[in-house]
Amino acid sequence: MSEIDVRAALAHWSECVADDELSAELAQLSEADDAAVADAFFQDLEFGTAGLRGVIGAGTNRMNVYTVARATQGLAEHLNARFENPSVAIARDSRHKGELFVRTAASVLAANGIRCLVYPRVEPTPALSFAVRDLGCSAGINMTASHNPAAYSGYKVYGADGCQITSEAAADISARIARLGYFEADGACAKTVDFDRAAAEGLVEEIGDDTLERFVEAVLAQSQETPEQMQRPLEVVYTPLCGTGLECVSDALGRIGIDSLDVVAGQGEPNGDFPTCEYPNPEERAALEAGIARCHERAAQGAAPDLLLATDPDADRVGVACEDGDDYTLVTGNEMGILLMDYLARMRAERGEDIARCIAVTTIVSSAMADDVARAHGFELRRTLTGFKYIGEQIGLLEAAEEADRFMFGFEESYGYLAGTHVRDKDAVVASMLICQMARFYREQGMNLVQAMRALYERYGYCLNRTISLSYPGADGARKMADIMAGLRAQAPASVAGRAVLRATDYARGAAMPVVGGTGEGLAPLPSANVVELALEGDCKVIVRPSGTEPKIKAYLFAKADAREDALALLDVLDAAARAMLA
């Protein structure tokens, strides 16, 4: 929109909005500078495969009851076109306005004749994925902004299979949303009905605790310990980062014998302000500082914990830190994925299972060490595109072939893990349980998880990773990004950082799924993706992927060496070379 357009949009919203809080914000915006008005109104909040995500507030580019209602109307039309009697499960995390947005979405769905099943309190994302399939729903909605700062909220949509929606579904929903306004009197906007009336008429129901119990039972079905092993001691400091994890994580851990969790003060209960943690992302040390401080307190008292466990606000991702000399070291997402994959393979082998039947799934940008672990244990490893929905898709294919029992584990480098087929998304509840059981396993050997990972490095070599993100701002940014990707496709460099490029893979052409320990026979090619991979001599590689939502290109760097120092030095060289290549 032009400057006049955004001012006109502001005036239109000011006339039509009935919400007192949004009206007050619009009044403030009317006195603000043009940049502030433009930021709120220059576009409609984009609906993609991750649904909606944005800052809470007034405007078309914000998360509010009107943008939520409009998106839900698009979803309702999509569902009514595909299902005879659709139903939707709805959940929320601890974000501000979460309950209001749930009621708004349910009111729109009910007005469109769609039955809604709503969790009555905050619950983890995996509990929503579970509920969709457990209750036979056509779709799911989760009001969550994952690990974003407190100003954000989001609207994530799941399909009937419990996976995040496909690109095709997202495109159809987005097209339907685009035809809608926000306040139009001619009906070209969201239909709505009073929430309490819809509940009285049976179109809105609460999801009972029996569903949540079945979810926790499904998590416990992945336990790797005998009842005797569950008696072994383990001291855990835990932080839900003011999110949704406490109820389900503490329940699951209590049932495997960890009934005295030390929950970090001020971070246990849901709180959308995230007052002790500005950026509640368990990948970042800053988010774990309060937990690390509690670990140091325990250590000073002579009772150092075995690990610090941290789940993100919607409890689909989990981070871990362990004592390492005088400080605590964070286990990276790639490292925890490798540790868990190796541990689960060991446990299955000890039980006498045929490991050759097992299948693990990760992504093309996750640690190369996963290949080595798969070869060592003899199971099959598949690599999908980035995004856990692709891992969930592989589980669905196995289930359709009546081979769901072959699925052993899935992980992505961004701290998402899954064992079991009870959900189709990453699950910090089952991951937390398995991490604690694995920690007990290594404690018996005199190691914590950081030390266990070092042992794996010594065995397989130091496969280290780094991700860099380069920005391309301004009007020319998109064109510059397109030129870079086109150049890589037209003529890949002969070498990067002095290492020959052995193979260039353009995933836009639908590359074959990378498979280790299997033939890949019968597997469909990967979907087209704007990604280029450069495999370098010496077991190194660079993967280049532009963002679909920001003017940025990410480069994933992979280095391998016999010593950690050499691998880190190699990452530095690859870093400099990638920046020069993408300049």
Side-chain angles (χ1 to χ4, degrees):
M1 292 182 180
S2 68
E3 179 178 318
I4 296 175
D5 288 328
V6 298
R7 286 285 176 183
L10 170 58
H12 181 55
W13 272 59
S14 297
E15 292 174 2
C16 297
V17 162
D19 181 278
D20 290 341
E21 187 173 337
L22 290 178
S23 293
E25 185 176 338
L26 290 165
Q28 291 179 335
L29 264 179
S30 67
E31 303 298 325
D33 60 27
D34 291 338
V37 177
D39 191 49
F41 285 100
F42 85 99
Q43 66 174 6
D44 291 321
L45 199 61
E46 183 178 359
F47 187 96
T49 55
L52 302 174
R53 185 171 298 185
V55 173
I56 300 168
T60 58
N61 191 38
R62 296 285 187 264
M63 285 292 296
N64 54 64
V65 291
Y66 300 101
T67 53
V68 167
R70 181 170 177 260
T72 307
Q73 182 64 36
L75 173 62
E77 294 176 7
H78 169 83
L79 294 175
N80 277 328
R82 285 160 176 76
F83 296 91
E84 186 173 347
N85 294 297
S87 60
V88 178
I90 309 178
R92 61 186 169 96
D93 68 8
S94 57
R95 300 278 161 179
H96 291 306
K97 306 293 183 183
E99 185 174 6
L100 175 62
F101 292 165
V102 166
R103 291 172 68 94
T104 298
S107 296
V108 172
L109 291 168
N112 284 271
I114 297 173
R115 181 166 166 257
C116 304
L117 300 160
V118 179
Y119 272 119
R121 54 188 179 275
V122 300
E123 297 296 355
T125 286
L128 183 277
S129 176
F130 177 85
V132 169
R133 297 173 68 240
D134 183 66
L135 300 172
C137 294
S138 314
I141 302 172
N142 197 15
M143 304 300 176
T144 175
S146 187
H147 55 277
N148 283 90
Y152 285 79
S153 187
Y155 179 107
K156 188 182 293 186
V157 182
Y158 288 76
D161 59 356
C163 288
Q164 289 185 47
I165 53 170
T166 65
S167 298
E168 293 76 15
D172 182 69
I173 296 167
S174 181
R176 293 175 184 276
I177 294 170
R179 295 195 287 266
L180 300 169
Y182 297 92
F183 312 104
E184 278 63 22
D186 62 1
C189 59
K191 301 176 184 178
T192 188
V193 66
D194 180 74
F195 179 88
D196 293 329
R197 175 185 163 191
E201 293 177 354
L203 282 170
V204 178
E205 300 177 29
E206 285 191 355
I207 296 175
D209 285 347
D210 57 326
T211 296
L212 203 63
E213 172 62 20
R214 287 192 293 274
F215 167 66
V216 175
E217 288 175 351
V219 166
L220 293 168
Q222 300 306 310
S223 172
Q224 302 297 307
E225 295 180 318
T226 65
E228 292 75 23
Q229 289 170 330
M230 290 183 192
Q231 303 305 311
R232 295 179 296 187
L234 191 76
E235 295 296 324
V236 180
V237 172
Y238 171 54
T239 172
L241 295 177
C242 296
T244 64
L246 185 62
E247 180 181 10
C248 290
V249 171
S250 61
D251 187 3
L253 296 189
R255 298 198 210 183
I256 64 164
I258 304 171
D259 53 7
S260 57
L261 280 181
D262 187 346
V263 179
V264 176
Q267 295 186 341
E269 295 302 318
N271 187 336
D273 287 327
F274 305 111
T276 62
C277 177
E278 181 179 356
Y279 187 39
N281 182 356
E283 296 184 54
E284 304 292 336
R285 185 182 175 96
L288 274 61
E289 286 295 358
I292 290 172
R294 177 56 184 157
C295 290
H296 281 303
E297 289 176 10
R298 292 274 302 268
Q301 298 165 0
D306 294 288
L307 75 157
L308 166 66
L309 198 68
T311 52
D312 70 339
D314 65 326
D316 64 349
R317 301 189 307 142
V318 57
V320 168
C322 294
E323 190 175 29
D324 189 19
D326 294 333
D327 199 3
Y328 277 72
T329 291
L330 275 62
V331 181
T332 71
N334 271 316
E335 289 174 337
M336 185 54 71
I338 294 297
L339 280 164
L340 283 169
M341 192 165 67
D342 176 76
Y343 169 70
L344 289 168
R346 289 191 191 200
M347 296 301 101
R348 288 200 176 206
E350 285 188 8
R351 292 195 296 268
E353 295 185 28
D354 182 5
I355 295 299
R357 288 192 71 251
C358 294
I359 294 173
V361 189
T362 189
T363 74
I364 60 173
V365 299
S366 297
S367 174
M369 191 188 289
D371 295 358
D372 297 325
V373 174
R375 293 188 187 99
H377 288 285
F379 59 81
E380 180 179 325
L381 176 71
R382 301 176 183 178
R383 289 186 182 269
T384 70
L385 296 179
T386 306
F388 219 90
K389 68 179 179 180
Y390 295 112
I391 296 176
E393 182 180 57
Q394 291 301 306
I395 300 172
L397 292 173
L398 289 171
E399 190 173 70
E402 298 185 350
E403 294 183 334
D405 63 309
R406 296 183 64 191
F407 177 72
M408 181 176 70
F409 184 60
F411 83 93
E412 58 184 9
E413 83 292 343
S414 54
Y415 289 58
Y417 321 103
L418 175 65
T421 61
H422 56 292
V423 300
R424 294 291 189 271
D425 206 348
K426 45 196 177 289
D427 181 0
V429 182
V430 75
S432 294
M433 180 191 73
L434 292 172
I435 287 167
C436 288
Q437 292 187 323
M438 179 171 62
R440 281 200 285 223
F441 170 80
Y442 280 113
R443 176 173 166 154
E444 293 292 306
Q445 302 174 48
M447 292 187 284
N448 64 24
L449 295 180
V450 167
Q451 294 161 338
M453 188 64 221
R454 287 185 184 139
L456 291 179
Y457 279 134
E458 290 298 319
R459 178 177 179 183
Y460 296 112
Y462 282 83
C463 296
L464 302 186
N465 303 76
R466 181 182 300 170
T467 303
I468 60 174
S469 183
L470 304 180
S471 296
Y472 301 83
D476 294 332
R479 183 168 60 251
K480 174 69 171 176
M481 292 168 61
D483 288 345
I484 288 171
M485 297 304 296
L488 287 174
R489 291 191 167 95
Q491 185 172 3
S495 65
V496 176
R499 292 175 177 257
V501 175
L502 304 179
R503 183 180 65 260
T505 302
D506 180 4
Y507 287 96
R509 298 176 179 174
M513 178 179 290
V515 177
V516 170
T519 64
E521 184 178 351
L523 294 176
L526 295 178
S528 175
N530 192 8
V531 180
V532 173
E533 176 180 319
L534 304 176
L536 314 179
E537 63 180 344
D539 292 325
C540 298
K541 61 184 173 181
V542 176
I543 297 179
V544 181
R545 180 172 75 92
S547 169
T549 58
E550 299 177 280
K552 294 181 178 180
I553 291 180
K554 284 187 175 181
Y556 299 84
L557 313 178
F558 300 74
K560 185 175 183 179
D562 292 335
R564 181 176 182 83
E565 295 75 14
D566 293 337
L568 287 171
L570 182 51
L571 277 180
D572 289 339
V573 174
L574 289 172
D575 188 314
R579 291 178 188 275
M581 182 173 65
L582 302 176

